[in-house]
Amino acid sequence: MKQQEVHGKVKKAQGKVKETVGILTGNKKMEHEGSVQRAEGAVQEGLGKAGRKVGEAMTHLGNAIKK
């Protein structure tokens, strides 16, 4: 798992916690910040996954060419 993917997962989880605390306390600003942070984390995680998949595809292609 790429480092970017891990950081995205962490950011997403932190955003979910912040969003939930905002909902429970009635703090709309915190709720919104958590929602944005969760979305940013999801994008970052997706970019990390995409990069990993491209790397895996290149490895498979290289292995296929060697045969």
Side-chain angles (χ1 to χ4, degrees), residues 37-51:
Q37 187 175 8
R38 190 167 45 90
E40 289 171 351
V43 169
Q44 187 175 9
E45 180 184 4
L47 289 172
K49 281 182 183 179

Side-chain angles (χ1 to χ4, degrees), residues 5-49:
E5 194 174 346
V6 172
H7 287 299
K9 285 180 181 288
V10 169
K11 191 171 193 173
K12 195 167 69 170
Q14 289 171 335
K16 182 63 179 169
V17 169
K18 188 183 278 188
E19 183 180 15
T20 302
V21 169
I23 290 169
L24 293 174
T25 61
N27 185 334
K28 293 292 184 188
K29 182 181 177 194
M30 183 181 280
E31 180 182 347
H32 176 72
E33 288 173 357
S35 177
V36 169
Q37 187 175 8
R38 190 167 45 90
E40 289 171 351
V43 169
Q44 187 175 9
E45 180 184 4
L47 289 172
K49 281 182 183 179

